[in-house]
Amino acid sequence: ETGVTQTPRHLVMGMTNKKSLKCEQHLGHNAMYWYKQSAKKPLELMFVYSLEERVENNSVPSRFSPECPNSSHLFLHLHTLQPEDSALYLCASSQDGDQPQHFGDGTRLSIL
Amino acid sequence: AQKITQTQPGMFVQEKEAVTLDCTYDTSDPSYGLFWYKQPSSGEMIFLIYQGSYDQQNATEGRYSLNFQKARKSANLVISASQLGDSAMYFCAMREINNNNDMRFGAGTRLTVKP
């Protein structure tokens, strides 16, 4: 029981498809995050939501669109992705401040 | 510029021995937190240990301890009595409290424990 659940675990999609990644946290945290982990690159922070408001968008292309309907749920909507977007996408949650982030198991995304 | 530097792409350690994984960081924020995470081949990121910038003592959690040297801006992870299950990627991370809680990760160190 990680406390942070991501679905699906694996996703294969074509470049013209539209799909969404889902993240749910059961820890009562007030901040949620999307990260991208590519091979041979450090973990990249994509989006941060604090109290359901987006507080950070690290120059992420518009083909990635986050949504945080409440403090427990976070989505990443995908549209017209490129092959270089193939990666492991990790969701995390934390309490604001200096508390550690707790991660989900990730969604491994492959773009054909 | 790199905010988190892990200079060891790979490390080997004999089972039951101790190993130190290096991490240096760069920040001008006086308030920050340092974290270590473990990522096994299955992909999940597991939080191991945390050190706050104002903490006077080095953090310890079971077999994990953090050698925090603030003046040198280093936060090395020490794993004692290595076990085969410790084989994984290890990431050092820093969170800057006065910079929108910006969280940055190092490139990671792959640790292999040999029987």
Side-chain angles (χ1 to χ4, degrees):
Chain A
E1 171 62 61
T2 65
V4 180
T5 305
Q6 287 187 246
T7 54
R9 290 296 308 275
H10 302 272
L11 179 61
V12 179
M13 57 188 284
M15 288 191 282
T16 58
N17 292 157
K18 288 183 182 180
K19 295 285 185 183
S20 296
L21 310 186
K22 180 182 176 183
C23 177
E24 186 174 357
Q25 60 100 357
H26 315 276
L27 301 168
H29 291 162
N30 59 11
M32 296 187 77
Y33 312 79
W34 279 116
Y35 287 88
K36 176 184 179 183
Q37 188 176 28
S38 307
K40 302 181 182 178
K41 291 177 73 175
L43 208 61
E44 300 171 68
L45 180 62
M46 299 174 72
F47 300 104
V48 180
Y49 276 83
S50 178
L51 298 172
E52 300 153 45
E53 287 191 17
R54 191 190 309 179
V55 297
E56 190 160 339
N57 174 353
N58 283 332
S59 303
V60 179
S62 59
R63 56 187 185 266
F64 295 92
S65 173
E67 178 190 0
C68 186
N70 55 61
S71 60
S72 299
H73 293 86
L74 184 65
F75 295 90
L76 188 63
H77 304 300
L78 315 172
H79 175 52
T80 320
L81 295 193
Q82 304 299 308
E84 62 265 27
D85 297 323
S86 296
L88 180 68
Y89 288 83
L90 289 161
C91 172
S93 71
S94 74
Q95 276 299 113
D96 266 348
D98 57 0
Q99 299 304 306
Q101 294 178 8
H102 294 262
F103 285 79
D105 291 343
T107 295
R108 190 161 294 282
L109 177 66
S110 299
I111 306 301
L112 301 179
Chain B
Q2 288 276 27
K3 289 201 171 187
I4 297 286
T5 302
Q6 295 180 252
T7 57
Q8 308 151 313
M11 288 282 286
F12 290 88
V13 64
Q14 203 68 37
E15 193 178 7
K16 300 181 186 176
E17 293 186 351
V19 63
T20 297
L21 307 184
D22 295 341
C23 174
T24 57
Y25 59 93
D26 181 28
T27 181
S28 57
D29 189 344
S31 300
Y32 56 90
L34 298 159
F35 306 82
W36 276 92
Y37 287 87
K38 172 185 178 182
Q39 188 178 39
S41 56
S42 49
E44 71 270 31
M45 293 281 278
I46 302 166
F47 167 69
L48 296 178
I49 195 167
Y50 163 80
Q51 180 86 42
S53 58
Y54 296 113
D55 292 344
Q56 297 292 319
Q57 293 189 319
N58 287 343
T60 60
E61 287 286 346
R63 294 187 298 112
Y64 304 109
S65 60
L66 202 152
N67 184 0
F68 181 45
Q69 299 188 43
K70 193 170 183 176
R72 296 179 59 186
K73 294 189 175 178
S74 75
N76 298 339
L77 177 70
V78 180
I79 305 175
S80 62
S82 297
Q83 301 172 356
L84 295 178
D86 293 336
S87 294
M89 283 291 288
Y90 287 82
F91 293 94
C92 179
M94 176 180 66
R95 191 171 186 182
E96 296 173 302
I97 307 305
N98 294 312
N99 186 18
N100 267 336
N101 285 315
D102 186 49
M103 185 90 158
R104 297 297 172 102
F105 284 74
T109 296
R110 181 169 296 283
L111 177 67
T112 303
V113 180
K114 298 187 290 185

